[in-house]
Amino acid sequence: MTAATDTSPFPASPDAPSSADAVLEGLDPEQREVAIALRGPVCVLAGAGTGKTRAITHRIAYGVRAGILQPASVLAVTFTARAAGEMRGRLRQLGAGGVQARTFHSAALRQLQYFWPRAVGGELPRLLERKIQLVAEAAARCRIRLDRNELRDVTGEIEWSKVTQTVPEEYPATAAKAGRETPRDAAEIARIYTTYEQLKRDRSMIDFEDVLLLTVGVLEERPDVADQVRAQYQHFVVDEYQDVSPLQQRLLDLWLGNRDSLCVVGDASQTIYSFTGATPEYLLGFRARHPQATVIKLVRDYRSTPQVVHLANGLLAQASGQAAAHRLELVSQRDPGPEPSYTEFTDEPSEAEGVARRIRELIDSGTRPSEIAVLYRINAQSEVYEQALADAGVPYQLRGAERFFERPEVREAGMLLRGAARAGGSSDPGLDEADVPAQVRAVLGTRGWSPEPPAGSGAVRDRWESLAALVRLAEDFVRTRPEAVLADFVAELDERAGAQHAPTVEGVTLGSLHAAKGLEWDAVFLVGLTEGMMPITYAKTEEQVEEERRLFYVGVTRARFHLALSWALSRAPGGRGGRRPSRFLTGVRPGTSARDGGASGLSGGGVERGSGGRRKRGPVHCRVCGRTLSEAGEIKLMRCEECPSDLDEALYERLRDWRTAQAKLLGQPPYCVFTDKTLLAIAENVPEDEAALSRIAGVGARKLERFGAEVLALCANKEPDGIPESGESPDQQHQPTEGGGR
Ligand code: ATP
Ligand code: MG
């Protein structure tokens, strides 16, 4: 390890504060206390958005600018590589470049690479890139057959064992004590774990966790190495300390030696990685381990409006357990904003459409897409949102997960369905060729789909969720195309995959709650808030449910201004509607009290209900029979699916041709102009003026302004100006339509 580049003075960025004291100007009194407490152990316990990350960044910058800390003697540890990069950027802006900001892993790897030749000899063993392959080999050696999902889950158990410093022999007892749901018999996992370690040694390779374990080993066994590391790093700062693992803590203790220049910040109420072996005990027990520590609490929330903060405080007031005993009431420093909205939908596609519509409105009124996030509990929930945003022409990016159609199980399912379609349907001769959902279920049943979800968590469940999403797609698909065969469905999948793969530059973030840690957006949509998702079904013990509550709290506190919470009463359109809103909403949602067990006047049927009179839509009636409509597809068409269609097919064809030309002109996919459903609704309604056109779902203010005149001209059977000819006259294709859906 050399410090040559680290100790050289770094040029301050031109807009950096002019002096050390100027660095402090951006802080409130308590944050300032953190920044100037440069000696001895410091612990900052503070809630979300109170400026913990900001305070430690300014603390380092102040120390460096005041000449109290040598930049190269400081090691700042953050939770993710992205957070570390962000911190380095902020430090540069404050005129304190040259400070190391890293994750535990990258800091350890760097030290290990440097000291390995001296401490052990030779080059550092190769880093194992795909642990799962070696675990598979180990299982085979033990003559234990694992399917792909078990393999992933067993790998997860080995990782958990290593960060909790559990050796193979101890695994069965420790896993049982920790209440872990083991994917296979614990004794089998212990055998695979032993063999995996052996194989790794034989091939002189190390894995991700070994990097920390070996660094710990070298520092413990080689005092000369430990002395050299300690001579280099004298001051340590750790962000998100509530999620430190026992192994990371051990490494931190070794870095420190018998010194005490350590500043940790965290929020026990945001502990969300207990399942991987992290624990808030180090944060909460900091005072006990360092009796002379300066402990500072921050309570001012600079991130969120009083409305968001009120909800966050209300959630924590209902929490129980160790972290809850240390909860901190937040006080918003921001001007008031809108009340959080609580919206109930009949089914998931309607929920996604409603959310996409609201996002479109936010963007149209000036919110940048990158300032908006949709957060959900599990990655499998992303598909309906990917589709709804694509339909609404909203760019998006996925955080921490592969896009739905790129997931291995979805690609594999696509291949199998394509094969079955080519063969004229599933190989089961008992199945009706025209029953596409049954065909899809039969094919996916061979790959892990079942009518009921599998018990437990992990990869098996994730995979099932992806396959179930495909089955739902098939069911929805035949509702609009009853005559379709399997090949049509496969074509539909390809089209969707194509639309969703369109590269995006700046977009709305779609991500899991776990991946949202430490981040913030102007507008946050927390979706899928039903029992079973939030808390997730496999959270059974009280501790597990409390971790779910904290996860929800993390989600709520990501919002600066707009916060929208929503849930759907059934999964698919026309479902039984038997779901209940999340128990965490009880007592915080208007109209519910902590005692009513989640049932409330707000839940029940109905399409979309805003709270506080925001975004209330009156009921939509079928324009053929007058029935109140509840399904998203029907609302778009403005009639029941079964009611006779009065589609003007010629107009529909003209609209489609016009859309193709328009999309080409704009260089955008056709759905960004109008979706199929919207075109159908236009062709059925044949609006005569702007007012009638604007009443059709999918025709917002922006689209009306952009395309209104042309669409109305088409409806009046005139060729709109400026659009290339579409070829043959659509009138020649006119055919009478039958009643019923298409
Ligand atoms: P989390 O618990 O979610 O990690 P945090 O406590 O680390 O939150 P920060 O991300 O540091 O909070 O700060 C939240 C937001 O408030 C940031 O946008 C930050 O710039 C702003 N902020 C913090 N302190 C101040 C301050 N004194 N003046 C103005 N803005 C501030
Ligand atoms: Mg932070």
Side-chain angles (χ1 to χ4, degrees), residues 635-678:
I635 289 169
K636 270 204 164 165
L637 292 173
M638 293 161 89
R639 65 164 172 78
C640 306
E641 298 266 16
E642 314 80 52
C643 276
S645 157
D646 41 8
L647 172 72
D648 180 341
E649 289 235 337
L651 173 57
Y652 183 58
E653 287 303 324
R654 283 205 300 281
L655 286 165
R656 284 183 67 98
D657 290 341
W658 166 82
R659 180 179 67 171
T660 309
Q662 192 62 243
K664 232 185 241 148
L665 222 63
L666 297 172
Q668 286 177 348
Y671 63 76
C672 287
V673 179
F674 282 118
T675 62
D676 284 351
K677 281 206 176 124
T678 302

Side-chain angles (χ1 to χ4, degrees), residues 52-53 239-240 303 518:
K52 294 182 295 297
T53 304
D239 199 359
E240 307 270 5
R303 177 180 293 146

Side-chain angles (χ1 to χ4, degrees), residues 49 51-54 90 239-240 265 270 303 518-519 558:
K52 294 182 295 297
T53 304
R54 182 175 169 115
R90 285 208 217 173
D239 199 359
E240 307 270 5
V265 307
Q270 294 187 68
R303 177 180 293 146
L519 307 178
R558 298 308 98 199

Side-chain angles (χ1 to χ4, degrees), residues 195-256:
T195 313
Y196 165 78
E197 291 294 323
Q198 188 59 49
L199 282 174
K200 212 156 38 72
R201 265 194 302 277
D202 292 349
R203 294 179 194 175
S204 50
M205 295 186 99
I206 57 174
D207 66 19
F208 198 81
E209 290 73 31
D210 288 333
V211 171
L212 295 191
L213 283 163
L214 288 168
T215 311
V216 163
V218 169
L219 293 175
E220 275 177 347
E221 278 154 37
R222 291 290 300 258
D224 57 323
V225 170
D227 285 348
Q228 199 180 335
V229 171
R230 288 174 196 149
Q232 162 93 50
Y233 293 118
Q234 290 155 27
H235 310 279
F236 299 86
V237 176
V238 187
D239 199 359
E240 307 270 5
Y241 190 56
Q242 75 278 1
D243 272 323
V244 75
S245 73
L247 181 54
Q248 291 166 336
Q249 179 62 43
R250 195 156 148 206
L251 181 59
L252 186 59
D253 288 338
L254 283 162
W255 281 339
L256 269 169

